[in-house]
Amino acid sequence: MVDDLRLRMLDDLLAAERNFRDLAEKRARALTGVLTELAYRLAGEKLEQMRQLDPSAPQSWTPQEWRSFFLSVSLAPQGEGWGQAKGNGNHAEVEALRAKIAALEQELAQARQLLAEHSPYRRRVEQDKPLVPSAPQKPQAQTGGRLANFVLPKIPKAFEHRWQVRAEMSKADAELHLKRRGMVLKCLAEGLAVQVEIGRYVGDATGARYRSGAIRRVFEALEESGLVVRQTLTLQVTGNMPTRLAVARLSEEGKQFCRALGWQVVEGEWERLLKDHEGEKQEGHTLAVLLFAAAARLRGWTVEILPEVPGHARPDLSVTKDGQRWYVEVETGTRLHDGNAKWRMNADLNGGRIALVARNAEERRVLVTDCRHVAAHGYATDVETLIAGRFADVREDDPLWAEEW
């Protein structure tokens, strides 16, 4: 009787914390939406450039980053338009706007702090058990990470005309820029596709921020040379602002170039989705799959896109780490499936567990509720949660899943 009462009390406590967390999440999203709308009005083009380099921007920005952005934007542009000073000027309006921005930043910071302090998921991870079976903690990768020992081979003469730099570059800058080009091509030859992920590896190895202008210029130069094909994918994750993700793949000449350098070229993840999974028609789904793949790799997981499995199941990808392997379904459309067949097949592949990625936190909770009727245990995360953190801050021992049941 006492145990039943204790369980009911714990359930009530968890339910209350979930409700508090939901309210805090909605409040934080609403405040971020207001700041984002204001940022677009002030400097929409600049914000779009930053979003292409980092799909988590500006949702993942800290109050200090918001402050830096607004301070870098002129609130009184020349010419006609919003914010134009007339007559005696609009100093009072500008000052009121600054005060509103400061108040919103403070309120957003408080909401996020409350969310972190009262998250039942965080409490479960810290006080109960980790989301994956315990294993010896891996030390952090050495400086340089994936590309630490990279050496750029000699460029074949047939491709020298595609390996030029701007005349105004110094010799040292040109050498570093060309080395970064080689690093990007090596990552693409190995099948990677997400620009911010590749930028993270290149930045770690050469001392640059993964969304810096130096990294962006490398991708632009490779695209201009015809060695790389790029595209920006979009997905409406939440609110009115779409999430954008820049992806890249080798062109046919780029593949020839990499082979001439002595590198093995594998089918790229973006290429495979385009070829075998209607990746062009399902742009949002393709974005979600590639973003989750990048997030998993940065956390130390090995990823395979569209793995071959027996039977009729066709999982979107598999992730492997420390002897575990999970087949993952990414759901960005309707939740309705005949007899829950999709989730039943996923549970069969995972030994009775389900692994899923949703579009946002709200849809994740709906899908988890559906999947509880199919499998008693499982893992789930969502695109909204993954882009809330900056790629530069991800560590190999960070949890991949936002929720376990």
Side-chain angles (χ1 to χ4, degrees):
M1 183 66 179
V2 174
D3 289 339
D4 290 342
L5 180 59
R6 182 182 297 126
L7 287 174
R8 285 198 295 271
M9 292 176 62
L10 289 173
D11 288 341
D12 291 342
L13 178 61
L14 286 174
E17 289 187 336
R18 287 193 197 98
N19 290 335
F20 184 89
R21 185 174 187 271
D22 290 344
L23 290 173
E25 283 182 342
K26 291 179 180 178
R27 186 182 183 192
R29 284 199 296 268
L31 291 169
T32 301
V34 172
L35 289 172
T36 302
E37 182 179 352
L38 184 58
Y40 266 102
R41 291 187 178 186
L42 292 174
E45 184 176 349
K46 178 178 180 179
L47 186 59
E48 279 299 309
Q49 292 174 353
M50 299 177 75
R51 284 167 64 88
Q52 289 182 14
L53 294 172
D54 180 10
S56 66
Q59 286 86 356
S60 64
W61 284 356
T62 63
Q64 182 57 44
E65 288 173 313
W66 276 110
R67 189 173 296 108
S68 298
F69 175 83
F70 285 123
L71 289 175
S72 69
V73 175
S74 172
L75 293 182
Q78 297 297 319
E80 297 181 358
W82 187 92
Q84 168 65 19
K86 297 181 181 179
N88 295 329
N90 59 351
H91 179 72
E93 181 182 352
V94 171
E95 290 303 316
L97 184 58
R98 290 186 185 277
K100 182 178 180 180
I101 290 172
L104 286 170
E105 289 172 344
Q106 183 177 4
E107 193 170 351
L108 177 60
Q110 292 173 349
R112 284 180 169 168
Q113 183 178 358
L114 287 172
L115 179 61
E117 291 175 352
H118 293 82
S119 168
Y121 162 67
R122 180 185 296 273
R123 191 167 300 174
R124 284 184 60 197
V125 172
E126 293 176 350
Q127 297 182 359
D128 188 4
K129 62 179 181 180
L131 289 180
V132 296
S134 59
Q137 187 173 6
K138 292 184 177 181
Q140 285 297 296
Q142 296 179 351
T143 302
R146 183 186 186 110
L147 297 169
N149 300 316
F150 176 84
V151 176
L152 181 63
K154 181 177 176 59
I155 305 302
K157 287 187 176 181
F159 292 94
E160 285 181 349
H161 66 291
R162 299 195 181 276
W163 209 249
Q164 305 298 320
V165 297
R166 296 194 305 272
E168 63 268 21
M169 276 192 180
S170 67
K171 182 179 179 181
D173 288 343
E175 289 178 351
L176 181 58
H177 174 81
L178 292 175
K179 182 177 182 179
R180 286 171 175 161
R181 280 199 212 177
M183 289 179 167
V184 170
L185 289 176
K186 186 68 164 63
C187 289
L188 293 174
E190 293 172 352
L192 304 187
V194 177
Q195 182 170 316
V196 289
E197 179 191 5
I198 297 173
R200 161 77 185 267
Y201 300 139
V202 175
D204 286 348
T206 62
R209 287 177 57 85
Y210 73 102
R211 63 181 187 183
S212 66
I215 300 297
R216 185 186 69 251
R217 287 189 290 272
V218 168
F219 280 92
E220 291 172 349
L222 288 170
E223 184 178 23
E224 292 172 1
S225 71
L227 298 176
V228 165
V229 177
R230 289 199 302 161
Q231 183 178 337
T232 299
L233 307 178
T234 62
L235 171 65
Q236 201 75 29
V237 174
T238 185
N240 297 322
M241 302 298 177
T243 290
R244 292 173 169 81
L245 185 70
V247 294
R249 55 185 171 87
L250 294 173
S251 66
E252 288 304 315
E253 191 165 7
K255 294 176 183 178
Q256 296 174 13
F257 177 78
C258 288
R259 294 190 183 103
L261 295 179
W263 297 337
Q264 180 182 5
V265 178
V266 303
E267 184 180 48
E269 293 179 341
W270 181 27
E271 284 182 289
R272 188 164 194 188
L273 288 167
L274 290 173
K275 180 172 65 73
D276 297 335
H277 207 58
E278 297 185 324
E280 190 170 356
K281 293 181 181 179
Q282 305 182 76
E283 182 177 314
H285 184 267
T286 298
L287 181 154
V289 171
L290 292 175
L291 182 67
F292 176 75
R297 258 190 304 272
L298 289 171
R299 289 164 172 79
W301 293 77
T302 300
V303 179
E304 183 180 0
I305 299 289
L306 301 180
E308 296 292 337
V309 297
H312 298 291
R314 192 72 190 279
D316 291 314
L317 68 168
S318 68
V319 292
T320 307
K321 183 179 182 181
D322 297 334
Q324 302 176 81
R325 182 170 186 172
W326 303 114
Y327 294 97
V328 184
E329 290 288 352
V330 177
E331 183 60 82
T332 58
T334 177
R335 58 183 271 211
L336 299 177
H337 300 279
D338 292 340
N340 277 324
K342 177 178 182 176
W343 304 119
R344 294 184 190 281
M345 287 190 289
N346 185 255
D348 290 341
L349 287 175
N350 288 319
R353 294 175 182 258
I354 286 175
L356 68 89
V357 180
R359 194 163 60 108
N360 53 49
E362 184 176 350
E363 292 182 8
R364 184 191 81 222
R365 286 188 283 270
V366 173
L367 288 172
V368 168
T369 300
D370 290 345
C371 290
R372 285 178 184 272
H373 299 296
V374 177
H377 303 286
Y379 304 96
T381 189
D382 59 88
V383 175
E384 181 184 15
T385 298
L386 291 174
I387 65 176
R390 295 179 299 179
F391 272 52
D393 298 331
V394 176
R395 297 163 51 94
E396 284 197 0
D397 55 358
D398 285 345
L400 177 61
W401 307 105
E403 183 174 353
E404 176 190 9
W405 75 89

